[in-house]
């Protein structure tokens, strides 16, 4: 009887029971846990303190490496700003070709003609205080030499000096620099003598015609120095650099210390460091047109002053109206800035170059964006054109973020 019962039980449970009520799809209240990846299975339960996960490079960081390597530049620095501060900054390369000291965003770079906007900003503070006026004529500015001044200069204005429409000679080439007499005395006294020399000689062309001239900024500063009794260097520190809390130097960066970048000349693809001991430099009388050195971080503060002013925001040095006055173009140029449409966007820009460094700035207030480019080499036009072409691209990229 027991055996029969056992067999019967086996017969009853010998095969699977058919499922006639199986769902055709997963019920919504059923959750199947995700299968972990092999990496997750092997991962530590917490990150070790000695493990650092590198940040993904930004577009600017990728750009600075690519551009520097493509054009064989010793160093390259890029900075993007808006009115609130620095959006992104990237550096790559070395202070001296063949060396190993990496550049930093605090290193000094020679600004060349980007100094002009700084000098014009200082002069605007004197105009704002009534010490100067934009329509002040050369006869009014230099009454002591009015009688011997070339008559064609007598009605030339301070504004025309800064917008390259005065008729003064260029003084942009090495032969022109070499032709400057060896004036004696302090830098301010030398600029007074240079202004007298220029204004008592015939102009190179008629006033009211655009012709880029470093001499115009020298004469403009000679006016400010005569009126205030202070040197250009003192005026710049007291009226621009000091209030903005930025560090500025005069002359080549290496003159400030051995741990600053060297300038380089590029010729036929060969990059040669420039040693300041060879005495090649911007002439003293032309320093207000192009002889300031500054880090890209400090320069960004100055550039932001102008970007904010163009966006109708008052600054610590000048009001928005004063900044906008500096950017009113006369023909092709305003006071220290080129003004034009780039890709249909109103743009203020400038380049600074004295054969050994190359610097650029671009401001697009309608996008609330600015781009700054510093490199410690000059002489390769393809590199310069590529750097300039990259700036509006970066402006568009960062403005959309």
């Amino acid at each position: 009887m027991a055996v029969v019962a056992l067999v019967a039980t086996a017969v009853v449970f010998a095969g699977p029971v058919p499922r006639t009520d199986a769902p055709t799809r997963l019920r919504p209240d059923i959750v199947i846990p995700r299968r972990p990846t092999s990496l997750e299975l092997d991962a530590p339960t917490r990150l070790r303190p000695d493990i650092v996960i590198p940040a993904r490079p930004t577009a600017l960081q990728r750009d600075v490496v690519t551009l520097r390597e493509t054009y064989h530049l010793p160093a390259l620095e890029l900075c993007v700003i808006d009115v609130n501060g620095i959006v992104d900054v990237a550096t790559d390369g070395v202070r001296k070709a063949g060396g190993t000291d990496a550049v930093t965003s605090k290193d000094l770079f020679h600004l060349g003609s980007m100094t002009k906007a700084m000098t014009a900003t200082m002069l605007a503070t004197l105009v704002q205080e009534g010490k100067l006026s934009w329509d002040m004529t050369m006869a009014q500015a230099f009454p002591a030499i009015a009688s011997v001044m070339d008559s064609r200069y007598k009605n030339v204005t301070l504004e025309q000096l800064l917008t390259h429409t005065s008729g003064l000679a260029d003084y942009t080439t090495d032969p022109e620099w070499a032709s400057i007499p060896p004036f004696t005395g302090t830098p301010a006294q030398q600029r007074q003598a240079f202004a007298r020399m220029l204004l008592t000689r015939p102009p190179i062309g008629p006033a009211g015609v655009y012709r880029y001239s470093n001499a115009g900024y020298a004469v403009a500063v000679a006016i400010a120095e005569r009126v205030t009794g202070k040197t250009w260097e003192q005026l710049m520190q007291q009226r621009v650099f000091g209030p903005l809390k930025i560090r500025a130097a005069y002359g080549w960066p290496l003159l400030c210390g051995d741990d600053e970048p060297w300038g380089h000349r590029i010729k036929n693809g060969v990059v040669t460091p420039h040693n300041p001991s060879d005495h090649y430099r911007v002439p003293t009388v032309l320093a207000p047109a192009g002889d300031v050195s500054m880090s890209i971080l400090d320069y960004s503060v100055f550039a932001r002053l102008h970007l904010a002013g163009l966006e109708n925001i008052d600054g610590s040095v000048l009001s928005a109206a004063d900044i906008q006055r500096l950017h009113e173009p006369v023909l092709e140029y305003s006071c220290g800035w080129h003004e034009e449409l780039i890709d249909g966007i109103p743009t203020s820009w400038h380049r600074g170059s004295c054969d050994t460094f190359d610097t650029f700035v671009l401001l697009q207030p309608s996008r609330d964006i600015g781009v700054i480019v510093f490199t410690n080499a000059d002489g390769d036009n393809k590199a310069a054109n590529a750097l300039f072409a990259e700036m509006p691209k970066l402006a568009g990229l960062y403005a959309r973020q």
Side-chain angles (χ1 to χ4, degrees):
M1 183 66 177
V3 172
V4 173
L6 179 63
V7 171
T9 303
V11 171
V12 173
F13 297 98
V17 177
R19 290 284 305 271
T20 58
D21 60 342
T24 56
R25 58 185 177 83
L26 196 64
R27 283 166 42 195
D29 60 328
I30 296 177
V31 178
I32 298 177
R34 182 179 64 87
R35 178 179 296 174
T37 66
S38 59
L39 189 62
E40 290 169 332
L41 288 172
D42 296 334
T45 55
R46 60 184 178 83
L47 193 63
R48 284 167 40 194
D50 59 325
I51 295 177
V52 178
I53 299 176
R56 180 176 296 177
T58 66
L60 204 67
Q61 291 166 336
R62 294 192 298 269
D63 243 21
V64 77
V65 173
T66 300
L67 288 167
R68 190 194 69 77
E69 291 180 347
T70 299
Y71 295 100
H72 310 291
L73 301 170
L76 182 63
E77 300 191 341
L78 306 180
C79 182
V80 177
I81 62 170
D82 61 20
V83 292
N84 295 314
I86 292 175
V87 177
D88 199 0
V89 64
T91 68
D92 189 57
V94 292
R95 291 169 174 162
K96 182 183 180 183
T100 58
D101 289 342
V103 294
T104 76
S105 55
K106 295 182 180 179
D107 285 349
L108 299 176
F109 281 66
H110 195 257
L111 297 180
S113 286
M114 279 165 43
T115 302
K116 288 181 173 67
M118 297 179 161
T119 295
T121 299
M122 179 275 290
L123 293 168
T125 67
L126 295 174
V127 171
Q128 192 274 333
E129 292 177 6
K131 293 181 172 65
L132 300 177
S133 66
W134 294 122
D135 59 359
M136 171 185 282
T137 67
M138 295 305 97
Q140 294 169 332
F142 297 101
I145 64 170
S147 61
V148 295
M149 186 182 298
D150 187 290
S151 60
R152 287 163 289 190
Y153 282 127
K154 289 187 175 182
N155 291 321
V156 167
T157 66
L158 175 62
E159 181 181 53
Q160 287 178 308
L161 294 177
L162 301 184
T163 57
H164 305 303
T165 55
S166 66
L168 284 167
D170 303 6
Y171 284 94
T172 57
T173 65
D174 289 345
E176 287 177 307
W177 287 11
S179 73
I180 297 173
F183 298 113
T184 59
T186 66
Q189 290 170 337
Q190 292 181 49
R191 283 188 279 269
Q192 294 298 318
F194 185 51
R196 178 187 177 93
M197 183 194 82
L198 291 171
L199 296 175
T200 55
R201 290 181 176 180
I204 199 170
V209 176
Y210 176 81
R211 187 185 184 97
Y212 194 90
S213 170
N214 285 323
Y217 279 74
V219 174
V221 163
I223 297 171
E225 290 177 325
R226 188 191 68 78
V227 169
T228 65
K230 297 180 179 180
T231 67
W232 168 65
E233 293 84 355
Q234 290 172 328
L235 292 169
M236 293 300 292
Q237 182 60 38
Q238 293 170 3
R239 293 174 171 272
V240 181
F241 303 144
L244 292 177
K245 296 180 174 58
I246 56 180
R247 174 195 175 204
Y250 302 97
W252 304 124
L254 267 180
L255 298 178
C256 294
D258 295 338
D259 58 348
E260 296 292 348
W262 290 58
H264 298 76
R265 293 187 175 98
I266 303 176
K267 187 173 182 180
N268 299 324
V270 178
V271 180
T272 305
H274 165 243
N275 191 331
S277 64
D278 68 359
H279 303 300
Y280 170 75
R281 62 163 297 167
V282 178
T284 299
V285 294
L286 297 178
D291 204 21
V292 166
S293 289
M294 189 173 289
S295 74
I296 201 165
L297 296 182
D298 282 329
Y299 183 79
S300 74
V301 177
F302 175 79
R304 202 163 71 246
L305 169 73
H306 281 257
L307 181 63
L310 290 170
E311 295 183 31
N312 213 34
I313 301 170
D314 292 333
S316 59
V317 172
L318 288 172
S319 69
D322 292 326
I323 291 291
Q324 291 165 19
R325 178 66 177 78
L326 286 171
H327 287 263
E328 290 181 6
V330 176
L331 300 180
E332 302 176 37
Y333 198 85
S334 64
C335 295
W337 299 88
H338 297 277
E339 311 289 346
E340 63 178 287
L341 291 176
I342 296 181
D343 297 335
I345 306 295
T347 303
S348 299
W349 68 273
H350 215 283
R351 178 188 181 188
S353 170
C354 287
D355 295 342
T356 60
F357 288 79
D358 215 357
T359 56
F360 304 82
V361 59
L362 175 148
L363 304 179
Q364 293 186 334
S366 65
R367 286 173 159 173
D368 183 28
I369 211 76
V371 180
I372 306 162
V373 178
F374 283 8
T375 184
N376 59 340
D378 188 30
D380 185 341
N381 287 332
K382 289 184 179 179
N385 291 337
L387 294 177
F388 185 79
E390 193 67 14
M391 290 196 297
K393 295 178 184 177
L394 288 170
L397 174 66
Y398 277 82
R400 289 195 296 268
Q401 290 183 349

